Amino acid sequence: ETGVTQSPTHLIKTRGQQVTLRCSSQSGHNTVSWYQQALGQGPQFIFQYYREEENGRGNFPPRFSGLQFPNYSSELNVNALELDDSALYLCASSLGSQPSYNEQFFGPGTRLTVL
Amino acid sequence: AQSVTQPDIHITVSEGASLELRCNYSYGATPYLFWYVQSPGQGLQLLLKYFSGDTLVQGIKGFEAEFKRSQSSFNLRKPSVHWSDAAEYFCASRGNYGQNFVFGPGTRLSVLP
């Protein structure tokens, strides 16, 4: 069974640029959630995708957008990067979107640095 | 709105000593509660979860947590800490109507030999 993988591991961008982060969900999982973890803080929920549709969103501006593909892999896109976007971005996959069986399995994260 | 607090930013214990990490939640009803561990350079691993029923929950790696409704708490415990337990620990909650996960700020655990 393959776990959750994320690419790239590290990324450096400059302000105003755009970035795409990728996540491959664990085999059989149809739900992907994205989190932003700033240094020294807990993860903050960005959004969730369930069967290719956005299924919940946290308090993030529209320049944070995502996609989920038919194989349930996912992308996180961030436009017009700001310095405060520097963080570890975590992807988590699960089977189903409801709490009763929503054990999330996390990937190792992508470290984004915005200069 | 949901919130999760972890009052201790950093805790240091000696190997073999007992451990308790505190977590308090704020939610109108009983939320779903989780404890995760994060080692450097790694993603989060689920230690245990509480949905309903028995208020003492057993998890992996010898951890347990007790849900106390009257105190809005879900503290994590381990009777004897191992050096490999040194990591960052996060408490999280999720409302039972499909609300988003909310994580606490984390508690960093250091273990002295």
Side-chain angles (χ1 to χ4, degrees):
Chain A
E1 183 179 84
T2 306
V4 179
T5 59
Q6 293 185 243
S7 62
T9 306
H10 295 89
L11 203 51
I12 299 175
K13 293 286 189 178
T14 56
R15 273 187 306 174
Q17 285 189 311
Q18 178 266 342
V19 69
T20 297
L21 310 182
R22 294 178 175 82
C23 171
S24 291
S25 58
Q26 185 160 312
S27 177
H29 286 181
N30 56 13
T31 303
V32 172
S33 302
W34 285 92
Y35 294 84
Q36 180 195 67
Q37 186 179 15
L39 200 62
Q41 297 183 25
Q44 279 196 292
F45 176 77
I46 302 175
F47 44 57
Q48 180 185 81
Y49 277 82
Y50 173 63
R51 293 184 176 179
E52 302 178 58
E53 298 285 334
E54 188 176 293
N55 185 46
R57 189 178 183 94
N59 190 26
F60 281 81
R63 60 189 184 83
F64 285 78
S65 63
L67 280 174
Q68 188 179 31
F69 300 99
N71 66 354
Y72 302 128
S73 65
S74 177
E75 285 183 356
L76 165 64
N77 299 289
V78 187
N79 294 321
L81 283 168
E82 300 176 0
L83 296 180
D84 285 348
D85 296 334
S86 295
L88 180 68
Y89 288 84
L90 295 166
C91 165
S93 76
S94 57
L95 178 60
S97 63
Q98 296 307 307
S100 60
Y101 47 87
N102 189 24
E103 177 169 347
Q104 298 184 105
F105 292 84
F106 283 82
T110 293
R111 173 72 62 187
L112 172 64
T113 301
V114 182
L115 302 175
Chain B
Q2 288 183 82
S3 69
V4 175
T5 56
Q6 294 179 248
D8 304 305
I9 297 172
H10 184 204
I11 284 182
T12 301
V13 300
S14 298
E15 190 169 20
S18 63
L19 171 72
E20 182 168 25
L21 302 182
R22 296 183 291 165
C23 171
N24 293 97
Y25 67 89
S26 174
Y27 184 64
T30 300
Y32 298 103
L33 296 164
F34 308 80
W35 273 100
Y36 287 85
V37 61
Q38 185 178 36
S39 298
Q42 301 197 14
L44 284 82
Q45 181 183 25
L46 180 67
L47 289 175
L48 46 76
K49 59 189 175 186
Y50 173 78
F51 288 160
S52 64
D54 194 345
T55 56
L56 186 61
V57 180
Q58 301 297 320
I60 63 171
K61 303 185 180 187
F63 286 94
E64 67 178 26
E66 185 172 13
F67 169 67
K68 292 186 177 180
R69 186 192 308 274
S70 61
Q71 298 176 20
S72 297
S73 69
F74 188 57
N75 294 348
L76 182 71
R77 300 194 295 245
K78 186 169 185 178
S80 178
V81 169
H82 188 261
W83 64 266
S84 61
D85 293 325
E88 190 89 20
Y89 290 80
F90 295 96
C91 182
S93 76
R94 182 173 181 175
N96 40 28
Y97 294 103
Q99 290 92 335
N100 308 327
F101 269 85
V102 174
F103 282 83
T107 297
R108 183 161 62 95
L109 174 65
S110 297
V111 180
L112 298 175

